[in-house]
Amino acid sequence: MTTPGKTRVAIVFGGRSPEHGISCVSAGSVLAALDPDEFEVVPVGITRQGQWVLASGDPAQLAITDRRLPEITAGSGAELVLRADPTAAGLLVLDPTQGPRALADVDVVFPVLHGAYGEDGTIQGMLEMADIPYVGANVFASAAAMDKEFTKKLCAAEGIPVGPYVVLRNGMTMTEADKERLGLPVFVKPSRAGSSFGITKVDDWAQLDAAVATAREIDTKVLVEGAIVGREIECGVLEGEAGGAPEASVLAEVRVVSGHDWYDFEAKYIDDACEYDIPAGLPDDVTRRVREYATRAFTALDCSGLARADFFVTPELEIYLNEINTMPGFTPTSMFPRMWAASGLEYPKLVNRLIRTALRRAGR
Ligand SMILES: Nc1ncnc2c1ncn2[C@@H]1O[C@H](COP(=O)(O)OP(=O)(O)O)[C@@H](O)[C@H]1O
Ligand SMILES: [Mg+2]
């Protein structure tokens, strides 16, 4: 039953991408931040195989314990289905003894999902079909930001600088002219992935084929990018309140400090190999330009809700956009919430704003 006056929000997490565990941790933090006087929460877990279950809403069960990430498993809760029919209640519980039972209508969904089947427009399309408002980017923006080729093309078309790259569609290899243009080293990456999965830094052309094969295990379309020597700078962007212009947070710098040459998976999640400066120590005019590029990139991709735009800043203070994440990591120690906290928007207020923005955008 829906409690009158409360907003019913379904938090969807886990999912089929390799970022399953990170998504669970992010969702646990979102759950803990929602004011129970204002929100009624439906925790929806998706297993690594893609089954939907009514999950535990206990944030403690979604925390990292003994350095192990949480996981949603089949059978850990009643099976759920989301109906695409907008005239029917969205979420059904499939009870093996009593048959399907409608959960009361959900007012808004917060898909706290990263990567494929979460951040790429697929679940967004499903929610559009069901006519349920949701936090974050729409189908197009999600798909465009997930694909590094189209992120670069759309941003470059708006005058945002991106580094040199070539796109290798299935079966294609680099030409000698391409190699000369990019120079070594290069970064070889799947066009649609995240968390540094499938990425190799190549210092010798003899390693190229193996690197392309590794990236193709994740996506048949591969990008080869000229390496940019520079600092890694991130910027949080939020949709403007009441439909205003998008707003940029203070900037953060990620510094890989020990044992890692670049911001690979272990550096991101396992090794405590990074230090973060928030705000980043950059000259004022560079800060201003990065923030401007971040909001322009948000608009160039037609984003809504939230996004994190990632840049390189070279020693000559040239700025290059690297990528845009439409559902960035969302634990209290993740960059996006920390950049907003440093900008004066604490975690619970940030979550509240995202849900309110989604409802307003849907005219609810
Ligand atoms: N063109 C590049 N030049 C220098 N470093 C790069 C380049 N591309 C990627 N990297 C390094 O690899 C990391 C991951 O690449 P990124 O494109 O952000 O993929 P993901 O979506 O997996 O985060 C970056 O944070 C950076 O450390
Ligand atoms: Mg990245």
Side-chain angles (χ1 to χ4, degrees):
M1 281 282 98
T2 310
T3 312
K6 287 196 191 182
T7 300
R8 213 157 203 260
V9 43
I11 311 288
V12 184
F13 55 93
R16 289 166 65 186
S17 89
E19 286 125 317
H20 180 103
I22 305 296
S23 160
C24 294
V25 178
S26 293
S29 315
V30 171
L31 280 164
L34 288 171
D35 178 358
D37 291 335
E38 198 176 346
F39 298 104
E40 205 176 300
V41 177
V42 182
V44 178
I46 303 181
T47 68
R48 288 187 190 278
Q49 293 73 35
Q51 293 148 304
W52 291 41
V53 296
L54 190 56
S56 158
D58 176 8
Q61 300 217 5
L62 294 168
I64 300 177
T65 36
D66 301 331
R67 289 174 66 90
R68 277 192 42 229
L69 288 166
E71 181 170 351
I72 300 297
T73 51
S76 59
E79 192 182 347
L80 286 179
V81 276
L82 178 69
R83 295 179 78 176
D85 176 355
T87 68
L91 281 169
L92 293 181
V93 181
L94 298 186
D95 187 323
T97 50
Q98 289 164 14
R101 168 172 60 86
L103 275 179
D105 274 350
V106 166
D107 296 313
V108 57
V109 169
F110 193 158
V112 191
L113 293 162
H114 310 303
Y117 309 105
E119 201 178 347
D120 62 354
T122 49
I123 192 170
Q124 289 76 12
M126 200 172 170
L127 294 168
E128 294 281 350
M129 298 282 289
D131 197 23
I132 304 176
Y134 53 92
V135 170
N138 64 19
V139 173
F140 172 81
S142 300
M146 185 74 203
D147 188 321
K148 293 184 167 76
E149 175 193 7
F150 292 107
T151 302
K152 286 189 204 302
K153 286 185 170 161
L154 290 168
C155 288
E158 290 297 320
I160 300 161
V162 299
Y165 67 99
V166 292
V167 180
L168 300 181
R169 294 178 205 291
N170 205 5
M172 287 169 63
T173 49
M174 273 182 95
T175 64
E176 289 306 315
D178 284 339
K179 289 182 184 171
E180 207 155 299
R181 181 167 65 88
L182 298 188
L184 284 168
V186 290
F187 279 82
V188 179
K189 46 177 99 165
S191 199
R192 290 155 290 202
S195 288
S196 300
F197 287 119
I199 302 185
T200 311
K201 184 183 180 196
V202 166
D203 298 298
D204 180 336
W205 292 121
Q207 303 159 355
L208 180 72
D209 288 349
V212 171
T214 300
R216 282 222 168 102
E217 283 172 21
I218 296 181
D219 190 347
T220 53
K221 184 169 68 175
V222 168
L223 255 55
V224 183
E225 300 182 5
I228 296 170
V229 179
R231 295 159 69 181
E232 299 208 35
I233 304 293
E234 305 191 346
C235 181
V237 184
L238 284 175
E239 179 178 337
E241 273 186 299
E247 293 166 33
S249 70
V250 302
L251 306 182
E253 175 167 5
V254 179
R255 285 183 296 118
V256 182
V257 285
S258 65
H260 297 264
D261 184 25
W262 54 283
Y263 199 25
D264 60 9
F265 179 82
E266 283 74 24
K268 279 179 182 171
Y269 299 120
I270 294 171
D271 282 352
D272 293 330
C274 294
E275 283 177 4
Y276 306 98
D277 292 335
I278 308 174
L282 286 169
D284 286 348
D285 69 308
V286 178
T287 301
R288 189 184 47 73
R289 274 160 58 215
V290 171
R291 295 177 76 196
E292 197 217 306
Y293 285 146
T295 54
R296 266 165 67 189
F298 188 91
T299 305
L301 266 66
D302 206 17
C303 288
S304 29
L306 73 165
R308 199 190 71 218
D310 297 349
F311 297 86
F312 299 111
V313 176
T314 69
E316 296 75 34
L317 302 179
E318 291 163 333
I319 301 163
Y320 293 96
L321 179 105
N322 178 32
E323 62 155 345
I324 295 173
N325 294 286
T326 52
M327 191 53 71
F330 219 86
T331 73
T333 57
S334 300
M335 300 306 274
F336 186 85
R338 285 175 61 189
M339 289 190 282
W340 279 107
S343 309
L345 194 60
E346 294 299 332
Y347 193 93
K349 288 214 171 72
L350 173 64
V351 171
N352 193 297
R353 173 165 165 174
L354 290 172
I355 293 171
R356 295 286 153 220
T357 308
L359 286 166
R360 184 190 45 74
R361 201 185 321 116
R364 311 276 162 98

